[in-house]
Amino acid sequence: MKKISTLFILFISVLTWAQSSISGKILDTDGQPIPSASVTVEEPGKDAIIAYSITNSKGEFKVTFTSAEQNVDVKVKAFNQKPLQKVVKNENQTQNFTLQDDATEIKEVKLKAKMITKRGDTISYDIKAFESKSDRTLSDVLKKIPGIDVNKDGTVLYQGEPINKFYVNGKDLMEGGYGTINNSLPTGAVSKVEVMENHQPVKILQDKVPSENAAINIKLKKSVTMTGRGEVGAGLDPLLWNVKLTPMFFGQKNQWVVNYKANNNGESVEKEGNMLAFGSRWEGRRGQSAGNYWLSVDKASTPNLPEKRYLMNNVHFFSANVLTNPFKSKEWELKASTSYTNNAISRDSKRETVYEQDTGFFKAGKITNEESNNLYSNAAKGEIIFTKNAKKGFFKNTTTWNGFWNEDRGFSGTRYDMAVADPSLKNISLDEALSAPTGVFKNSLSTIIPWKEKLVNFMSYISYQTDRQNLSATNENFFDLDKQFGRDSESVHYGRLDQSIALKTFMANHSASVGFSHKKWTITPEVGLNLSFNDMNSQLYGDRNLLDDRFQNRMIWNEINPYTQVGLNYKGSAFNLNLTLPLNMYNMDYKDELRAKDSEISKTVFEPTFYGSYDFASFYKVSAFGGINYSYGNFGSVYDGSILTSPKSLNVRNSNLLPENRNINSSARLEYRNPLNNLFFNVRYSYNDMKKNIITKSTPFLSGASAVTLAYNDNSSYSQSESAEVGKYFPKFKTNASVNFSNRDSNSYSILVDENNVDNYIENKSNGQSLALKFNNTYFSWMSLDYNVSLNWNKNSDDYRNNVNRNSGWNHNMNLFFYPIENHTVGFVWDDVTTSQGATNLRNSFYDLSYQYTWAKKKIDFEIKWLNIANRKLYETISYNTTYFSTTRNSIEIRPSQVMFTVKFNFK
């Protein structure tokens, strides 16, 4: 709480700084307004702009600034006018300026565009200023722009927060799945990257309902552009291949992107179809579809490396997106998309765990676990979106169908090497298989209709999903779960277990609201009804025989949740506010048809949320968010028949234990965005407090198996984080650099049952820091450098053992390119990941070398690349468990050394 109070005082201090505003008009000697004149404010004796403004078509301006000086300098400049400077007091005032004509004969004109410009809420970046000779696609350049970052999954961040829209020439073709364009749009087709801060994508709400997220618009050089990117490659050891064909068309009325990518060289191209941006809630309900997986095979570990280092795959991914204006009115848009993925992945990992002493859970000794997987998946998607987004009305209907067909195979082996001999411990092996088909149908509708001075909104969402999962496991000498199958402390052993489960889920959400606007205020009362109907059937078979009803389920979980709420919005020039005051009625009914049990929950709760932002001193923005919500469980929270969720984990969730959780979350952010000196920074804080009435109770086994139940026990957990990021572009040195630091604290509670069947209540605490540096330089014509390094420090402890563990690590990436001769490029890549535990340091270094020749006339690249030159076979990490006094060393199989030859080209 002390940290929250300190943060609160900090933001109150920011808001109460002495601020001044100067407004007025800029006129010429004839009394005519001068548009596009610049008005800057500087502190006396300092050649540094603290605020600025540009006059509108009427010659009007307003500039707000913060300064401790008694006086400030105001400078006014305009084309063909004599500059003017005036010293004024640091206070709110109106100042009009008259400029003298100063026409001059221009003998020679050299136009030099600014790299970063700002107009209103839009910041524009000239992409050429940040591009190096080795860059080919938009994603290569985007991560180098100050204020912008790109996550590993492809999500674009602005000032540390995800964007809500990704436009190309002002149109949202991809509807959130922008990875395809980002990875395949040639840089040569792009003119500018525009960041639209506080972007409200629904036009009718733009002056009424604020937004906390930014959007990105990719402005192309031509209004009609045919472009795209292609690659064809082959390689050795083993036989490798790579195909990428992504033609694109962007016109004023139509846009389309067709994408086919296939490879076995470690690129997970299928993720390009994932939704990364979700727009505004007023557009309807959007989300990434997935199977409702209750069962899984044991999975091999994956390393903290770029996927190209370890992904053993064979993937084919096809997608097509089309946007058109079906009517004469360009306000109406029709979008259609489809995609199909066929993918096969193999993984192998090994884990050695050394237990230092007898702990009451395990004996001292060493356990070796091996996991191996073959994962096969097919996924298909079709979607049609019909939209009208205009100042006088909004309509959007989205119809989506998804199909998933997964077939997972696994092998898990365990070998015991115990210091204390135990004849019951033997080598264990399990062969595992999971079949999991899923079908999903969804339709989302939202419309906003102006009625007199009011806005009427209707929203409707329906979803129907079916899941079938069948898990089988055959074992050799696996006895850990035998007591769970027997009765009265007896053991029953099965050499084969088969778990089947069938799930059906129907959801319907409907709401209606009316918006009343007065000046800058909008009040929106809303009523809604959320329905969810679910049923689940499961059976567990031992040696192909159906087990008794302790291992069966026939359950229904229904939810009927009406709600009413009032939204209060203020949209000003500098201050924005959104306050939502909902009264939610939760009604849940759990029925166990097999056991004739019926449990109900009926709660009415107040769950307010708040968001506010304030722009000041031209370059600063402070924002805060807070909310409280309750959770009373969902489909899957309870079931009275045990389910084998994985071959080593048997779970049961007693329906007499119904969860009641309360969650409080808050965050605050201070941002600085100054395109005049190319400086961006943000400071963020978040806090989350969760209060629960139920705790997880686990019985662990040496093999990694567990029996999991629930127990009533009030417990509270929290998490909080603080972070700061500073980024600046240095034009003189053609260098973009940023530094990010974060601190994280959290705790969690659990009950572990030891070998004497005694419950042990354990609180685990964790603290971690990370420091990251990003640096890229294109100063030299013969070289470019991209460099990223991150360091982390972690501390873990539990009150049960009073045991504390500290570990650290670092992750390093360098991309160095040389251009010795025109059209020739030599590249060197160095990835390095190190983990440290006590005196043990495990370092994983990887090196790549490439040569590329560019046929400039045809804009074709010929590249040969040697990956993993050192032919490293394993990725290794080390960790420590404070509860078990155990050290674990993990080894993961990665891709061997390989050579690829690739031809790369643009479509026009």
Side-chain angles (χ1 to χ4, degrees):
M1 292 302 294
K2 185 179 293 185
K3 291 186 178 182
I4 297 177
S5 300
T6 302
L7 186 77
F8 180 75
I9 293 171
L10 169 66
F11 278 92
I12 291 298
S13 300
V14 169
L15 293 174
T16 55
W17 281 343
Q19 293 188 5
S20 302
S21 294
I22 301 175
S23 58
K25 288 186 176 182
I26 310 297
L27 307 173
D28 60 18
T29 52
D30 295 326
Q32 297 299 312
I34 301 177
S36 301
S38 67
V39 182
T40 59
V41 178
E42 301 178 9
E43 292 184 342
K46 300 179 181 179
D47 188 20
I49 298 172
I50 60 175
Y52 78 101
S53 180
I54 304 295
T55 59
N56 60 20
S57 59
K58 298 180 181 179
E60 300 170 335
F61 74 91
K62 182 178 181 180
V63 58
T64 303
F65 60 93
T66 299
S67 175
E69 301 291 334
Q70 292 184 349
N71 300 308
V72 294
D73 292 339
V74 178
K75 297 181 180 180
V76 183
K77 294 181 181 180
F79 184 69
N80 273 344
Q81 305 292 329
K82 188 175 181 179
L84 186 150
Q85 179 175 339
K86 186 176 182 180
V87 179
V88 301
K89 290 185 177 181
N90 183 357
E91 61 184 27
N92 294 331
Q93 57 188 289
T94 299
Q95 288 280 350
N96 296 322
F97 298 91
T98 300
L99 302 185
Q100 302 293 323
D101 294 341
D102 188 24
T104 56
E105 181 180 353
I106 301 176
K107 297 181 180 180
E108 182 180 4
V109 177
K110 291 184 178 180
L111 297 178
K112 185 177 180 180
K114 283 186 66 67
M115 294 170 294
I116 307 176
T117 58
K118 187 175 189 295
R119 183 175 294 273
D121 282 342
T122 301
I123 298 177
S124 297
Y125 300 87
D126 183 359
I127 193 171
K128 283 294 181 185
F130 306 97
E131 183 182 1
S132 69
K133 292 182 180 179
S134 61
D135 295 333
R136 292 295 182 267
T137 64
L138 177 63
S139 62
D140 294 333
V141 184
L142 207 57
K143 63 188 70 172
K144 301 176 181 178
I145 295 177
I148 297 177
D149 207 349
V150 182
N151 279 344
K152 290 182 180 180
D153 65 355
T155 303
V156 177
L157 309 178
Y158 174 69
Q159 291 287 61
E161 297 296 327
I163 62 172
N164 62 7
K165 284 288 183 178
F166 185 97
Y167 300 103
V168 178
N169 279 354
K171 292 183 178 292
D172 182 18
L173 165 65
M174 306 306 289
E175 284 286 345
Y178 54 77
T180 298
I181 291 180
N182 198 23
N183 294 332
S184 302
L185 179 63
T187 57
V190 180
S191 170
K192 293 182 182 296
V193 173
E194 297 179 334
V195 174
M196 297 174 284
E197 299 181 318
N198 307 316
H199 178 65
Q200 171 56 263
V202 180
K203 294 180 180 180
I204 196 172
L205 301 177
Q206 285 179 348
D207 298 325
K208 299 175 178 64
V209 178
S211 171
E212 59 183 293
N213 294 104
I216 281 183
N217 178 48
I218 308 303
K219 192 172 182 180
L220 304 181
K221 292 178 179 178
K222 299 179 181 179
S223 58
V224 178
T225 300
M226 177 67 191
T227 186
R229 188 73 175 160
E231 294 183 19
V232 178
L236 297 173
D237 199 19
L239 180 63
L240 304 172
W241 48 271
N242 176 31
V243 178
K244 297 181 181 179
L245 301 172
T246 313
M248 309 176 183
F249 175 79
F250 302 99
Q252 295 179 326
K253 184 177 180 180
N254 303 306
Q255 291 186 353
W256 55 260
V257 173
V258 176
N259 183 36
Y260 173 70
K261 293 182 179 179
N263 70 79
N264 69 343
N265 68 341
E267 282 193 69
S268 57
V269 293
E270 70 279 5
K271 293 182 179 179
E272 288 186 350
N274 290 350
M275 285 190 62
L276 304 174
F278 299 94
S280 164
R281 70 171 292 265
W282 302 98
E283 295 182 82
R285 185 165 174 173
R286 300 273 295 164
Q288 181 75 35
S289 296
N292 188 4
Y293 299 116
W294 290 36
L295 312 179
S296 67
V297 299
D298 292 313
K299 297 289 182 69
S301 302
T302 56
N304 182 27
L305 283 173
E307 282 190 319
K308 67 178 182 180
R309 299 288 184 198
Y310 68 88
L311 186 62
M312 312 287 187
N313 70 329
N314 188 320
V315 62
H316 296 262
F317 174 65
F318 170 82
S319 67
N321 294 71
V322 179
L323 179 153
T324 186
N325 299 114
F327 308 123
K328 291 183 178 179
S329 171
K330 292 185 178 181
E331 294 175 345
W332 287 93
E333 289 182 343
L334 175 64
K335 304 173 191 178
S337 65
T338 186
S339 65
Y340 174 73
T341 303
N342 176 273
N343 198 12
I345 295 173
S346 62
R347 290 177 181 155
D348 291 279
S349 69
K350 180 181 178 181
R351 185 174 68 255
E352 292 184 348
T353 304
V354 176
Y355 298 90
E356 302 170 2
Q357 61 189 60
D358 294 355
T359 61
F361 295 101
F362 307 124
K363 302 294 184 183
K366 184 174 77 171
I367 306 296
T368 302
N369 297 93
E370 295 183 11
E371 275 87 27
S372 179
N373 296 119
N374 287 294
L375 312 174
Y376 306 98
S377 63
N378 288 275
K381 177 183 177 181
E383 186 169 68
I384 296 177
I385 303 175
F386 199 44
T387 306
K388 176 185 178 182
N389 191 4
K391 281 290 186 180
K392 294 184 179 180
F394 176 80
F395 176 90
K396 185 170 187 176
N397 189 86
T398 304
T399 303
T400 309
W401 174 83
N402 293 89
F404 305 93
W405 301 270
N406 289 355
E407 298 285 340
D408 296 344
R409 301 292 179 264
F411 170 82
S412 177
T414 305
R415 184 175 69 254
Y416 298 93
D417 183 11
M418 310 302 295
V420 179
D422 188 339
S424 67
L425 298 177
K426 300 179 181 179
N427 292 346
I428 298 171
S429 63
L430 290 94
D431 288 305
E432 309 166 1
L434 173 68
S435 175
T438 294
V440 186
F441 173 82
K442 297 186 291 188
N443 191 84
S444 172
L445 169 67
S446 178
T447 182
I448 302 176
I449 304 169
W451 178 50
K452 297 182 179 179
E453 300 299 321
K454 305 175 185 64
L455 297 178
V456 181
N457 171 238
F458 297 101
M459 300 178 73
S460 174
Y461 171 82
I462 59 171
S463 171
Y464 181 69
Q465 178 166 338
T466 61
D467 297 90
R468 287 187 175 275
Q469 294 153 44
N470 294 283
L471 173 67
S472 65
T474 58
N475 71 81
E476 180 182 341
N477 301 325
F478 178 59
F479 305 105
D480 287 346
L481 299 180
D482 288 0
K483 287 186 178 180
Q484 313 299 320
F485 297 121
R487 294 180 182 269
D488 300 325
S489 299
E490 294 182 359
S491 295
V492 177
H493 178 72
Y494 297 106
R496 173 172 176 148
L497 293 172
D498 291 273
Q499 177 72 66
S500 65
I501 192 167
L503 310 167
K504 293 181 181 179
T505 299
F506 173 79
M507 298 178 63
N509 309 128
H510 306 290
S511 66
S513 65
V514 179
F516 302 86
S517 296
H518 177 69
K519 295 183 179 179
K520 297 181 179 181
W521 291 89
T522 301
I523 301 175
T524 309
E526 180 178 325
V527 294
L529 177 64
N530 298 327
L531 305 172
S532 178
F533 303 110
N534 313 269
D535 66 62
M536 181 267 282
N537 292 292
S538 72
Q539 299 86 31
L540 180 61
Y541 297 82
D543 292 334
R544 301 185 184 275
N545 296 312
L546 180 64
L547 301 187
D548 60 60
D549 59 8
R550 291 179 299 151
F551 305 95
Q552 298 180 39
N553 288 284
R554 289 203 306 271
M555 60 161 281
I556 295 174
W557 177 279
N558 294 334
E559 300 179 28
I560 301 176
N561 305 324
Y563 72 91
T564 180
Q565 70 179 31
V566 176
L568 183 65
N569 297 280
Y570 177 86
K571 186 74 170 67
S573 57
F575 179 67
N576 294 317
L577 170 70
N578 173 263
L579 183 63
T580 304
L581 306 172
L583 191 65
N584 294 319
M585 289 148 273
Y586 293 98
N587 299 281
M588 303 179 185
D589 183 22
Y590 165 77
K591 293 182 179 180
D592 188 328
E593 296 182 325
L594 189 65
R595 298 165 183 84
K597 293 178 64 175
D598 195 340
S599 301
E600 294 183 359
I601 298 175
S602 182
K603 299 283 185 177
T604 300
V605 292
F606 181 55
E607 299 179 292
T609 59
F610 161 83
Y611 170 75
S613 67
Y614 180 61
D615 291 85
F616 61 98
S618 296
F619 309 118
Y620 288 90
K621 175 184 175 182
V622 62
S623 59
F625 170 83
I628 181 171
N629 65 280
Y630 296 83
S631 172
Y632 302 99
N634 50 34
F635 184 39
S637 297
V638 296
Y639 46 84
D640 286 282
S642 296
I643 296 177
L644 191 74
T645 55
S646 73
K648 295 180 182 178
S649 185
L650 193 64
N651 286 260
V652 63
R653 300 176 178 274
N654 192 331
S655 63
N656 295 322
L657 304 174
L658 297 176
E660 294 188 17
N661 304 326
R662 185 227 62 205
N663 186 42
I664 298 175
N665 54 83
S666 60
S667 63
R669 187 166 77 236
L670 173 65
E671 301 174 46
Y672 177 83
R673 307 94 70 213
N674 189 342
L676 299 177
N677 61 11
N678 309 312
L679 178 63
F680 295 75
F681 75 76
N682 64 81
V683 179
R684 290 177 287 164
Y685 174 81
S686 66
Y687 182 84
N688 181 279
D689 180 86
M690 174 74 81
K691 184 177 181 180
K692 305 177 181 178
N693 69 325
I694 288 177
I695 196 169
T696 301
K697 183 177 177 179
S698 302
T699 302
F701 301 101
L702 274 172
S703 64
S706 63
V708 181
T709 59
L710 301 177
Y712 269 130
N713 191 296
D714 291 336
N715 63 96
S716 295
S717 60
Y718 79 95
S719 64
Q720 67 178 23
S721 65
E722 306 87 16
S723 66
E725 182 179 17
V726 180
K728 181 172 173 59
Y729 184 76
F730 300 89
K732 185 177 180 180
F733 303 101
K734 294 186 177 180
T735 296
N736 180 41
S738 68
V739 179
N740 182 297
F741 176 79
S742 66
N743 178 75
R744 303 167 302 280
D745 294 276
S746 65
N747 77 329
S748 62
Y749 293 91
S750 62
I751 293 178
L752 293 179
V753 183
D754 62 24
E755 58 187 10
N756 297 316
N757 205 31
V758 175
D759 291 353
N760 298 276
Y761 187 81
I762 297 176
E763 179 186 11
N764 290 289
K765 295 181 179 179
S766 66
N767 170 256
Q769 296 86 35
S770 64
L771 176 66
L773 169 67
K774 182 174 72 172
F775 173 91
N776 57 72
N777 177 275
T778 57
Y779 180 77
F780 301 101
S781 61
W782 51 271
M783 184 192 77
S784 64
L785 171 67
D786 292 333
Y787 182 78
N788 297 273
V789 62
S790 62
L791 300 93
N792 62 82
W793 303 267
N794 300 286
K795 174 184 174 183
N796 300 283
S797 63
D798 69 67
D799 61 348
Y800 173 66
R801 298 293 191 191
N802 292 321
N803 193 10
V804 178
N805 175 60
R806 290 179 172 87
N807 59 70
S808 60
W810 63 295
N811 194 323
H812 163 284
N813 170 260
M814 183 178 73
N815 292 266
L816 182 62
F817 294 94
F818 297 96
Y819 316 103
I821 308 174
E822 186 70 19
N823 298 325
H824 295 262
T825 302
V826 177
F828 176 71
V829 175
W830 175 19
D831 289 329
D832 205 318
V833 180
T834 299
T835 59
S836 299
Q837 177 62 59
T840 304
N841 294 298
L842 296 180
R843 187 170 182 179
N844 303 273
S845 300
F846 304 89
Y847 309 96
D848 304 334
L849 189 64
S850 66
Y851 167 75
Q852 180 174 283
Y853 169 72
T854 301
W855 186 5
K857 185 177 180 180
K858 299 293 186 179
K859 295 183 179 181
I860 299 176
D861 297 323
F862 301 91
E863 180 190 65
I864 185 168
K865 182 179 288 188
W866 184 7
L867 300 171
N868 193 4
I869 294 174
N871 197 26
R872 191 178 184 93
K873 301 291 181 61
L874 296 174
Y875 172 91
E876 296 181 295
T877 62
I878 190 168
S879 60
Y880 182 78
N881 187 294
T882 57
T883 303
Y884 302 143
F885 291 98
S886 62
T887 300
T888 298
R889 185 164 178 157
N890 204 18
S891 302
I892 304 170
E893 184 181 355
I894 57 176
R895 298 186 68 89
S897 180
Q898 57 191 45
V899 177
M900 286 287 296
F901 175 75
T902 307
V903 179
K904 307 176 183 180
F905 54 91
N906 291 346
F907 291 97
K908 290 191 177 181

